[in-house]
Each structure stands twice: as structure tokens, then as C-alpha cells.
Amino acid sequence: MGKDLKGKELGVGLSQQKNGLYCARFVDKFGKRRLKRSKKLQECRQWIADATYINEHSNIEESNDFIVDVWFDYWIGIKKKTVRPNTVRNYTERYNMNIKGVIGKKLLTDVKPIHCQKIFSDMADAEYRTSTIYQTRITLYNMLEFAKENDIIRSNPCKKSVKSNMGKPSEKKEALTVDIQKVFLAGAEEQSYENQFRFVLQTGLRTGELIGLRWEDIDFENRTLKIQRSMEYRYSVGEWRIGEPKSKSSYRTIPLTDEAIRILKAQKEKNKKIKEEIPSEWQEQVFLCRKGTPVKNSTYDTALFKICDKKGINRFSMHVLRHTFATRCIEGGMKPKTLQKIMGHSNIGITMNLYVHVTEDEKQREIDLVANTLNVL
């Protein structure tokens, strides 16, 4: 029996630490020490009640006695060794936010298509976007398919008959028109992250690739940069995570324009003027804030919104700058296959279908080119 700081008995596995946090702990059937800390005693009570129940009613050796929550922990533990951290994060978020509440306490063998359908229907009722519901389906299907492949269940209950094409339509990410791009860049002048915004419009980098860029990746002599990593700030753990690019095709060499070279040189000079001492771990980073540290992902979007509001244009995210780069390249006559390599896409379909949005002006120019041919008398 544990006690709080006043000596009051809290129950088996519960105690209060000197810093005031409550602690719940036990050793599961596999000999693994399980622990949770919280400012709230009730959270620890609920956690240990749920965790010990799952521990007592789940057995990886006996498929008919295996709870979904435990199976997810087992499955995601394997995924952590085989897929990118972002994918693990996405799987975990979708499970905890949308799947767990519906089937988490059920036995795997008791999960039916109707339960899978309820997950997606509940999300649609809560006005989730179609894209998010689709991501939830991927998580659910893959988790259950792994159980099927390991003979835990006979068939995957997340069948084709389970409908997930519901919810709010996803917002279409349109590239900026030339006129809007000019308005935006005028608003970005002298702003803290002007160099970064202009650089994405010259290179098409993903935000994580921009943040992770180091001077060693830049070859000024050959006028190229290499994408070798991606970087993001994880608020959940309060630290920067440096990892591999999105896919194998994301490892690439990008040729630099004169404007891109100018921006890099301007940024190098800007970094020299940072008043605070740049921590040793960030001295090789290309794009830093005034404190000498990388700029967080969400900070870029916040800065974009402020510029948009100030200039009276619709808000857009950093990813739209990448869309805009791709569209300007196509408008300028770049071959799609070349653009695919620069963007780091695994296939040409992604390049054409997701990123290149032909503007109204471009359609008019194209139709003008064939006007005489069409004028058959």
C-alpha cells in the first residue's frame, strides 16, 4: 500500500512523490515494469485499474484471450522498428483518438465489421475530414491485418463493405496565383522568415527538409543542395527530432537558381548577426531564428497567417508554397519527370495529381495557342 505526502493510504501500486506527482506502478505478466505519473490522483487510479485489467485478460499466446489495446501496443512496438517516426505518431494518434474508445477493451476475436463501421461513422458525426477518416482506416486495417497474418483472427473485420468515404470534404490545396504570390512576397519583405519563404518558392522543399538543412548540404561551387534529413519539433516530448527524409526518393540533389544562391548568402550574413550565442548543436543549421535555434514547424504557419491577414489574402500553409513552386515550374515549361525528381516524389502521378494545379491564366494561354487549329470553317 502506498501513501501520499501526508501519510494517507492510497492503495496498492499508488504513491505520491516528493515533487507532488502521483505515481502508479505494477509489473505485468511479461515481467515488464509499468509506470505512470500524473498531477491528478484519479488519473493514476484509472490508469492502473485499466492497465492491470488488460494485463490479466490478455495473453499473446492465447488468441481468444487477447484485448485490442494490448494488440495495438504489440503491433506499434514492431512498427517503431520498421517505419518512420511520423508514421508511428500518426498511427498512435488515430488509435488513441478514434479507435481505442470503440474497440480498445474488446477481445480481438469479438471485433466485427459493425464495430469498424461505428469508428468511421462516429468520426463523420464529429465532422472529421474525409482524409482523416481514411488515415484512421489505414491504421485500423493494418493493425487487424497483422493479427490475421499471425493467426490471431481468422479474417480482417475491416472489410470492403465497411464504408469510410464519409466526413467533411478535405480542403483542396491550391497553388498561389502569380498575382497572389506577388502580394504575399511584398508582405513578407523584412519579416523574420522572409528568406525561408522565398527559398521554398525557389526549391520546393518540405518544411521538415527546410528546417533540417545544414551548410554542409550546400555546394555553392556546383550550385546544388542535398536533402539528407528531415527535422521537426515534437511538442509532446518538448524536443527536436531529426530523422530520415519522407521516403527513399526524398533523398535528392536539387539544382539552385541564382535567387536561391542569393537567399542562402543573405541568410549566412543574417546568422552572423545573431546576438545570442548559437548552441553548438545548431551552428551548422542554415535557417535559424534570432535566438540561434531552428524555427519550429508551427511557427512558420503562424507567421504566414499574419502576413496573409495583413495583406488581405486567404490564409495558406507552408505546404502551399511547395505547391506553388511546382506549379510555377510546370508553367515555365519544366518536364514533369524532372519536377518529380526535384520534388522527391516516388512516382509521376503524385507530382501531376497532387501538386500541379493549372491556373485560369495558364488555361487561357494554352487555348490561345490552339485557337487557329480549332477554327475549322
Side-chain angles (χ1 to χ4, degrees):
M1 298 287 283
K3 300 180 179 181
D4 63 16
L5 296 179
K6 296 181 180 179
K8 182 180 178 180
E9 295 286 351
L10 299 177
V12 177
L14 296 167
S15 61
Q16 188 176 23
Q17 300 176 334
K18 291 182 179 179
N19 61 6
L21 290 178
Y22 291 97
C23 179
R25 68 185 75 195
F26 74 98
V27 177
D28 66 21
K29 63 176 63 180
F30 303 109
K32 182 179 179 181
R33 188 180 182 186
R34 305 286 296 279
L35 173 71
K36 179 179 177 62
R37 296 185 179 89
S38 174
K39 294 179 180 179
K40 298 180 180 180
L41 174 60
Q42 187 56 37
E43 285 188 9
C44 284
R45 287 192 192 280
Q46 187 62 52
W47 176 84
I48 199 169
D50 291 344
T52 53
Y53 176 84
I54 292 172
N55 181 58
E56 292 169 2
H57 292 80
S58 301
N59 191 334
I60 199 166
E61 302 298 331
E62 299 177 23
S63 61
N64 62 350
D65 196 24
F66 207 37
I67 287 178
V68 175
D69 273 341
V70 173
W71 180 252
F72 174 78
D73 287 342
Y74 176 70
W75 175 72
I76 204 67
I78 293 175
K79 286 295 179 183
K80 288 177 181 177
K81 302 175 183 178
T82 59
V83 300
R84 297 176 69 251
N86 278 356
T87 304
V88 172
R89 181 189 65 186
N90 292 337
Y91 283 155
T92 303
E93 285 182 355
R94 297 278 60 85
Y95 182 81
N96 288 333
M97 295 183 68
N98 306 112
I99 300 173
K100 181 182 178 73
V102 179
I103 64 172
K105 295 298 186 291
K106 291 183 178 296
L107 296 175
L108 270 172
T109 49
D110 287 342
V111 177
K112 308 298 181 186
I114 192 172
H115 301 126
C116 299
Q117 186 63 70
K118 178 173 171 53
I119 292 170
F120 307 137
S121 297
D122 286 353
M123 292 181 72
D125 291 342
E127 298 189 335
Y128 276 86
R129 294 197 180 278
T130 303
S131 57
T132 306
I133 296 176
Y134 177 68
Q135 291 300 321
T136 305
R137 185 187 185 101
I138 291 174
T139 303
L140 179 65
Y141 179 86
N142 287 344
M143 177 185 71
L144 295 174
E145 189 66 13
F146 191 64
K148 174 189 170 184
E149 291 172 355
N150 282 274
D151 298 323
I152 305 298
I153 54 178
R154 290 185 177 182
S155 63
N156 189 333
C158 189
K159 302 177 182 294
K160 289 184 179 179
S161 59
V162 177
K163 303 301 180 183
S164 58
N165 56 337
M166 53 184 68
K168 294 170 60 177
S170 299
E171 292 182 350
K172 190 176 181 180
K173 291 184 173 66
E174 296 282 359
L176 303 180
T177 64
V178 172
D179 289 340
I180 293 297
Q181 183 174 342
K182 289 178 179 178
V183 172
F184 165 70
L185 288 175
E189 287 184 7
E190 304 301 325
Q191 298 295 316
S192 298
Y193 312 124
E194 178 186 2
N195 286 342
Q196 288 93 313
F197 299 149
R198 289 184 179 276
F199 196 70
V200 174
L201 287 168
Q202 292 293 317
T203 58
L205 298 189
R206 299 179 177 94
T207 305
E209 295 169 347
L210 178 79
I211 296 172
L213 198 63
R214 296 176 183 169
W215 290 113
E216 65 191 55
D217 304 325
I218 311 297
D219 185 339
F220 284 101
E221 182 177 349
N222 292 310
R223 300 168 61 83
T224 61
L225 69 81
K226 286 186 176 180
I227 298 300
Q228 304 181 90
R229 73 193 66 78
S230 183
M231 191 167 131
E232 68 171 347
Y233 187 78
R234 295 290 300 278
Y235 285 92
S236 59
V237 292
E239 63 182 35
W240 287 98
R241 291 286 174 85
I242 302 174
E244 298 179 350
K246 187 175 182 179
S247 62
K248 288 183 179 179
S249 55
S250 295
Y251 285 94
R252 61 199 189 278
T253 299
I254 299 175
L256 296 173
T257 62
D258 289 342
E259 174 64 5
I261 293 291
R262 184 199 67 76
I263 293 168
L264 287 171
K265 290 181 177 179
Q267 184 65 33
K268 186 178 280 286
E269 292 303 311
K270 185 177 180 180
N271 289 353
K272 291 178 180 179
K273 298 176 182 178
I274 294 176
K275 295 180 180 180
E276 298 189 30
E277 183 177 354
I278 300 175
S280 58
E281 61 183 317
W282 306 129
Q283 288 180 359
E284 270 294 303
Q285 300 300 128
V286 175
F287 296 106
L288 300 171
C289 70
R290 65 178 184 276
K291 295 182 180 180
T293 61
V295 182
K296 296 173 183 176
N297 314 52
S298 59
T299 302
Y300 280 125
D301 282 335
T302 300
L304 281 177
F305 295 161
K306 289 181 179 179
I307 294 172
C308 291
D309 293 345
K310 181 179 179 180
K311 302 301 291 186
I313 58 179
N314 292 333
R315 288 184 172 187
F316 59 86
S317 66
M318 280 288 283
H319 209 64
V320 170
L321 297 182
R322 178 169 154 86
H323 283 268
T324 302
F325 164 81
T327 301
R328 293 294 94 84
C329 287
I330 288 292
E331 291 171 351
M334 182 180 287
K335 295 178 180 179
K337 196 66 179 178
T338 302
L339 180 59
Q340 176 194 349
K341 297 297 183 182
I342 291 175
M343 297 292 284
H345 292 149
S346 56
N347 65 73
I348 195 68
I350 297 175
T351 308
M352 298 305 297
N353 295 332
L354 294 182
Y355 288 89
V356 181
H357 303 283
V358 179
T359 65
E360 293 301 317
D361 288 344
E362 183 69 10
K363 286 192 287 187
Q364 186 62 55
R365 285 196 295 271
E366 291 295 320
I367 202 70
D368 288 343
L369 289 175
V370 298
N372 290 334
T373 305
L374 295 173
N375 191 21
V376 178
L377 299 177

